[in-house]
Structure formats: structure tokens, C-alpha cells
Amino acid sequence: MGKKEIEAFLSHLAVQQNLAASTQRQALNAIVFLYKRVLDIPVDEKLDPVRAKKLTRLQVVMSQREVAHVLGQMQGDHLLMAKLLYGSGLRLMECIRLHIRDLDFDRKLIYVRAGKGGKDRTTLFPESLHPLMKSQVEAVEKLHQEDLTDGYGDVYLPNALDREYPNAAKSFGWQYVFPSKSRSTDPRSGKIRRHHVLESGLQKAVKAAVGRAGITKPVGCHTFRHCFATHLLENGVNIRVVQKLMGHADVKTTEIYTHVMEKDISVVRSPLDGLE
């Protein structure tokens, strides 16, 4: 079987099976991998099956009142992390992997290292979080000193930085803002280290808080990032500034949030209300 059969199968997925474009693309990649890496049969001709339609969905966004209700149902480190997701527009893992050195209290900035696409960026560091974050940093410093006393205290460094800077792994600046409660063995090196907290803990806490707040929208951790962008735009922040804070390569990605802006819709009066 070759080009003709592959195209027929992929078209079948789109037309008869009515699968999403992402599922069809995944099937295509799997088949190409099978032919090239397993069967050793080159697929040199351009494949042109019937393409599944890519659906355009609006982002789920909470109002500021709803955000406040959800945050009101959270506490401790999970509350602090959720506030960072909303107040700084961080992705889940960007928040979980924050290092002490990424916090700039003086300039009110958070440095996001190696975000989506491997890109660095800066974003807002809400001033209202500074007291809580300073307390968190002090707690981490105390924990780090205990680890050093016990003969541990180093963390995983990206891009093999530990070979270039042997002492950096034990420096306080590289410690995680949200470290795990216990040390564990790093499977990559076999060293006993203190990793960051698991993302599943925050995900479960957000889900439980949404339920207690009585919100029926499909809200998750990433929803706070959508709310960050949408509420900034609603407050009149230039879309180019929002693009930079979000780390979007193309402003068209940022423009999706203009479709769910509350102020653009709420001021429009329905024609039904004008009937006498």
C-alpha cells in the first residue's frame, strides 16, 4: 500500500468517521513514522487527503467576580499559585517551575524561562502578592538551609548548566519557589534532590474550588491565563502589550480574546428589547 491507500484511509477518518483535524494529523504522523522508521518504505509523494475541518472554539473566560469566588474557595500554596496564574498570565508548568531568581520584586516583573516554544519572556508581578511571595521565599530559604545541613540542597539545572557552573545547583536563586515537601531521587542522575510540587495538586485544588464556587463553566488552571488576557483587554490595555505578556508570536493568537470581551457585548442592546 502506498500514497493512494494512505490518502483513502485519512479521507475516511475525516468524512466517514468525522474525526477532528488534530486526530487526522496524528494518524498521518503515525503512518509516516511507521513507513519510514519501521517498514523502511519512503513516502516521498505529497499526501493530499480530504482534510478534516478545524473547529474554532471560543476560550472559556470567567468574569472578575467569578475569579474572586473561585480564589475565595482556595487556601495555602494552591491559592498563591492560582493567583499567579491569573495575576501574571502564567501557564500551569510555568508557575510550578518558577525559581527564586525569576522573581523581581523591585521591577514588579516575573521572568518566564523557556516557556512554550522555548522562549523567554517577562510578565507582570502583581504588587498585591509581594508580601505573600516574600513569606514564601523566606520559607524556601529556611528549607534550603536544612537541606544543605543534611548534605543535599541541589536542584536540577536545565541545559546541562550544572557542568558549566558546578556550584549553581546548590545556590538559593535556583531553588524552586514551590518546592515539594520531601526530597526524592532524580531518575535522570540518581541524585537525591528536592523537586518542585506536582502540577496535579493544583489542578485538583482548582477543580474542587470551582465546584464549591458553584461555577458550571469548564474551568481549569489554564482558564486563569485566558482571564488574565481578556480582563487586560477589557481594561483598555493595548493588544500588543498583552501579546508580549502572553508570549504570543503572532498578534492573531491574542486577538481570540477580543471575541470574548464582556464590554464589547454587554453594551449592545438586543433588538427584542426595542420592541414596543
Side-chain angles (χ1 to χ4, degrees), residues 36-56:
K36 287 186 176 181
R37 304 296 182 184
V38 181
L39 303 177
D40 199 22
I41 301 174
V43 185
D44 297 328
E45 299 177 85
K46 180 177 174 62
L47 298 172
D48 191 26
V50 175
R51 299 287 179 178
K53 292 183 179 179
K54 187 175 182 179
L55 300 178
T56 302

Side-chain angles (χ1 to χ4, degrees), residues 106-224:
D106 291 334
R107 299 182 65 196
K108 302 174 187 176
L109 294 175
I110 290 178
Y111 296 89
V112 180
R113 319 279 183 178
K116 189 174 181 180
K119 295 179 293 185
D120 292 357
R121 75 177 192 277
T122 55
T123 187
L124 306 179
F125 187 1
E127 193 170 2
S128 60
L129 289 184
H130 286 201
L132 290 173
M133 290 299 289
K134 286 180 179 178
S135 298
Q136 180 68 16
V137 169
E138 290 172 0
V140 173
E141 186 173 19
K142 181 180 178 181
L143 189 64
H144 180 51
Q145 289 300 324
E146 293 175 359
D147 286 343
L148 290 174
T149 302
D150 294 340
Y152 302 102
D154 66 330
V155 295
Y156 168 76
L157 296 184
N159 304 320
L161 284 175
D162 54 340
R163 291 200 294 268
E164 189 173 354
Y165 304 101
N167 298 322
K170 288 191 176 183
S171 67
F172 177 58
W174 274 104
Q175 302 304 305
Y176 289 111
V177 175
F178 301 105
S180 60
K181 293 183 179 179
S182 59
R183 296 185 289 261
S184 59
T185 302
D186 188 334
R188 291 161 293 199
S189 63
K191 293 182 178 180
I192 298 178
R193 291 171 166 159
R194 190 178 295 277
H195 205 49
H196 55 65
V197 295
L198 292 175
E199 62 272 21
S200 59
L202 179 56
Q203 290 171 326
K204 292 175 182 177
V206 169
K207 183 178 181 181
V210 170
R212 289 193 294 269
I215 294 176
T216 57
K217 296 176 182 178
V219 171
C221 290
H222 205 67
T223 309
F224 287 112

Side-chain angles (χ1 to χ4, degrees), residues 263-275:
K263 288 185 178 178
D264 284 351
I265 300 174
S266 60
V267 297
V268 179
R269 191 181 184 200
S270 170
L272 179 65
D273 294 336
L275 293 180

Side-chain angles (χ1 to χ4, degrees), residues 60-77:
V60 175
V61 175
M62 294 183 286
S63 66
Q64 288 186 293
R65 182 179 59 82
E66 289 174 323
V67 171
H69 282 176
V70 173
L71 294 178
Q73 299 297 323
M74 303 180 71
Q75 59 184 352
D77 287 352

